[in-house]
Structures are given as structure tokens and as C-alpha cells.
């Protein structure tokens, strides 16, 4: 069996691992301490926030099939929030969704976490370890392998492992850094795909907010979206509000002082929701540098058979959870054919 490294534990990595688990010796390495990538959940001071993706749709048969497989400890639930649109100078107006929207329960990260944990025994997972440089080991008398080093280490001899294949599910810009010193033939395609940033403001309140919506889309503002986290199925009854900034606003302000960004978003939220600032008992900010795909690669995945490197993720096909799944699964299926040939 060949040794395959998957970088990441988000949806693309989960789809890849599911496809490859019994076809190769699979190792996943994730730089964060938790699973899920941008399907993220944060718990602080008794409050809980899905501070990355809020929901997903499932339009393809492949994704629908994946979601119907039982996974211990996680389930998929349809979410039917009260929807509204907020716009300065206009009365709020209601919206409707015309297809089912889903969330993972009990938290957004539980789908990847429990799906990957179910494969343990077949796969190896290392969390909290950032992959750094790759070095090609080619002695000439055996097939070459990739020696993989951690990003930050003072010890030049510390290696994470040697692999026949390295598959990155990191956003395109991060994959381009990882593969920079390799002979990966699709480096320019990695540069072509572009992301926009986003800030997530997490507010914990001392009482239920008086809202006549569960999810508000906001127009012409530094804020793009507001979600009452507890309105999702199987969440705790905490008074947690999740606020996503506008992507363009985040781009203009990404390197500004984070305390100032947090205060600006708190002020904008209080003004939009007529919220008393004194009711905010917890506040936290997360900046996503690669939140939303602005320009996709328009490929299912990028695979270079000669260098035995490949990249996949939402940015290949679009910018949504289902795109990440399809990209990961399609790369996995192609690799299975190569491993069997
Ligand atoms: C604020 C926000 C809101 C969103 N809202 C929605 C929504 O409502 N609906 C929707 O469908 N989509 C939404 N999305 C997009 C959705 O989250 C993504 O499409 C999807 O989660 C991407 O999955 P992925 O596996 O391709 O990438 P990721 O989830 O980013 O996974 C890549 C993983 O690689 C890891 N990694 C990167 N570099 C390294 C390294 N060097 N070493 C080790 N690990 C590394 C990362 O830590 C990460 O876990 C949103 C995203 C954000 C940020």
C-alpha cells in the first residue's frame, strides 16, 4: 500500500479520507487543534458559536448520499430559520429559501470530526501540527517519496513522515506556499484561484435578544450576516449571536488593529439590532483570511501524476461546503484508479 498524506481535516479532507481509507495508508495532518476547517465551532465562557460556515445545501446525489450515511456522534438536520433582510433606511423585509438548508448537529464541526474519527484504525490523524516544507527523496533505485517537515521547528532533523503522495486541501494560496519548492505542474492555476476574507464577531448576551429573525442578511453595511446560533437544531440554549462582516469590508480592514475591528463591528451590531451594549457579556473576533472563493480554479481538482502531488478544496469548484466535498471525493476516486493501476 502507498503512503498518502492529506493536509487538513475540513470537508474536502473528510471526503478524500473516506474515499482512500481502505486503498492506501492515509495520514491526515491538521494545523488547528480541532477538526472541520472552516466548518468551525468555538465554545467560550458557556457560549457556543458556529463561527465559520452557517449552513449548507446538498444538490448533488454524491453529497446527499454521503450525508445520509449514519455517523456516530453527529447528525445532519434541516434548519428552517426565520429569515430577514436588513437595510439602512428601509423596513426589514422577509425572505424565503426555496430548497432545504442543513446544519451539522450538535455543532458545525461535528460532521468532519465524527466522520474522520469513525475511520480511525484505518487512518492516522495528527492535530495541532502545521505542515511546512516538502523535500523530494529520490535515490534513483527506488520510487521517490516526499519527506515532510513541520512549519516551525528549530530541530532540522524533525520530520513528520515520508509519503508517496501529498494531497493538500488548504486554500489555494496556502497550497501554493506548501508546493512552492516542488515541481507541481499546476502552480499557476493555484495562483489564479482567489479568496476574500471575512471577520466573525461572536457575541454572548446576558439575556435572549429580542429579534424577529434567526438569520438576517444585511445590505450596505460592514456587516453581511447575523445569526442566532441557538435557532439551529440541537444547540444549547445560550444567547449567542454570530455576526459575519462583509467580505469587501474585511479585505479593506484585514490588517487593521483587531481590537478596533471588534469594536466597530460591535457598534454596528448594536445600532442595527437596537441592542444595549451592556447586555454583551462575552465578545470574541476571528479573522478568516481565506473565507470565500472570489475566483475558482474551475477544475474538479489539480492532480500532477508525475510529481505525486495534488490539491483540492472548495476553491476548485466554487466556494461552498458541497464544492469542497465534491472536489475531495473526485480527487479521491481519481487517485484510487492510479493506485490500482
Ligand atoms: C465565515 C465563513 C462563512 C461561510 N459560510 C458558508 C455557508 O454558509 N455555506 C457554505 O456552504 N459555505 C460557507 N463557507 C465556506 C465553507 O466553509 C467552505 O467552502 C468549506 O468549509 C471549505 O472546506 P475545505 O475542506 O475546502 O477547506 P477548509 O475547511 O479551509 O480546510 C482546509 C484545512 O487545511 C488546514 N491547513 C491549511 N494549511 C495547513 C498546513 N500547512 N498544515 C496543516 N493543515 C493546514 C486548515 O487548518 C483547514 O482545516 C463559509 C466560510 C467562512 C470562512
Amino acid at each position: 500500500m502507498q503512503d498518502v498524506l492529506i493536509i487538513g481535516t475540513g470537508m474536502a479532507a473528510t471526503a478524500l479520507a473516506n474515499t482512500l481509507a481502505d486503498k492506501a495508508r492515509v495520514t491526515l495532518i491538521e494545523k488547528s487543534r480541532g477538526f472541520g476547517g472552516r466548518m468551525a465551532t468555538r465554545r467560550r465562557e458557556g457560549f457556543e458559536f458556529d463561527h465559520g460556515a452557517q449552513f449548507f445545501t446538498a444538490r448533488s446525489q454524491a453529497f446527499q448520499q454521503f450525508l445520509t450515511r449514519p455517523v456516530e456522534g453527529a447528525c445532519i438536520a434541516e434548519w428552517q430559520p426565520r429569515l430577514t433582510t436588513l437595510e439602512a433606511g428601509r423596513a426589514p423585509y422577509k425572505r424565503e429559501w426555496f430548497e432545504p438548508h442543513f446544519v451539522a448537529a450538535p455543532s458545525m464541526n461535528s460532521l468532519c470530526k465524527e466522520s474522520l474519527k469513525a475511520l480511525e484504525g484505518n487512518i492516522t490523524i495528527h492535530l495541532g501540527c502545521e505542515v511546512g516544507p516538502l523535500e523530494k527523496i529520490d535515490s534513483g533505485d527506488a520510487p521517490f517519496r516526499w519527506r515532510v517537515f513541520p512549519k516551525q521547528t528549530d530541530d532540522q532533523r524533525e520530520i513528520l513522515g515520508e509519503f508517496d503522495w501529498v494531497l493538500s486541501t488548504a486554500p489555494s494560496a496556502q497550497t501554493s506556499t506548501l508546493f512552492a519548492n516542488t515541481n507541481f505542474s499546476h502552480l499557476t492555476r493555484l495562483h489564479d484561484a482567489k479568496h476574500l476574507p471575512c471577520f466573525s464577531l461572536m457575541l454572548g448576551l446576558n439575556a435572549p435578544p429580542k429579534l424577529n429573525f434567526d438569520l438576517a442578511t444585511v445590505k450596505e453595511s460592514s456587516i453581511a450576516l447575523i445569526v442566532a446560533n441557538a435557532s439551529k437544531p440541537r444547540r444549547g440554549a445560550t444567547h449567542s449571536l454570530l455576526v459575519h462582516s462583509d467580505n469587501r469590508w474585511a479585505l479593506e480592514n484585514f490588517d487593521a488593529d483587531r481590537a478596533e475591528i471588534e469594536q466597530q463591528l460591535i457598534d454596528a451590531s448594536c445600532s442595527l439590532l437596537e441592542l444595549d451594549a451592556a447586555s454583551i457579556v462575552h465578545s470574541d473576533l476571528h479573522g478568516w483570511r481565506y473565507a470565500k472563493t472570489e475566483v475558482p480554479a474551475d477544475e474538479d481538482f489539480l492532480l500532477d501524476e508525475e510529481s505525486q502531488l495534488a490539491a483540492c478544496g472548495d476553491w476548485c469548484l466554487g466556494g461552498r461546503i458541497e464544492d469542497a466535498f465534491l472536489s475531495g471525493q473526485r480527487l479521491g476516486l481519481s487517485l484510487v484508479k492510479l493506485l490500482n493501476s
Side-chain angles (χ1 to χ4, degrees), residues 198-214:
C198 178
F199 289 110
S200 297
L201 174 70
M202 293 157 262
L203 297 178
L205 308 180
N206 61 5
K210 292 189 184 67
L211 304 175
N212 50 11
F213 65 84
D214 300 315

Side-chain angles (χ1 to χ4, degrees), residues 7-13 29-32 36-39 51-56 129-131 169-171 174 178 198 200 244 288 291 313-314 319-321 324:
I7 300 172
T9 57
M11 181 44 79
I29 302 184
E30 165 60 56
K31 69 176 176 181
S32 305
R38 281 171 278 160
M39 292 178 77
H51 63 296
Q54 294 305 303
F55 52 77
F56 50 89
C129 177
E130 185 164 0
V131 174
T169 71
Q174 292 174 324
L178 282 164
C198 178
S200 297
H244 279 163
W288 300 96
D314 63 342
R320 303 258 123 202
I321 289 170

Side-chain angles (χ1 to χ4, degrees), residues 2-5 134 136-137 142-146 148 163-168 179 182-186 302-311 331 335 338-339:
Q2 302 227 17
D3 288 295
V4 175
L5 171 64
L134 312 181
K136 195 171 183 178
I137 307 298
F144 76 84
R145 307 217 334 144
W146 289 105
V148 177
F163 303 91
D164 300 296
W165 283 86
V166 177
L167 317 177
S168 173
F179 288 177
T182 70
N183 49 343
F184 186 54
S185 60
H186 302 294
L302 302 176
L303 170 69
D304 180 1
E305 199 178 328
E306 211 159 293
S307 67
Q308 296 185 187
L309 296 170
L331 173 57
L335 208 60
L338 284 176
L339 295 175

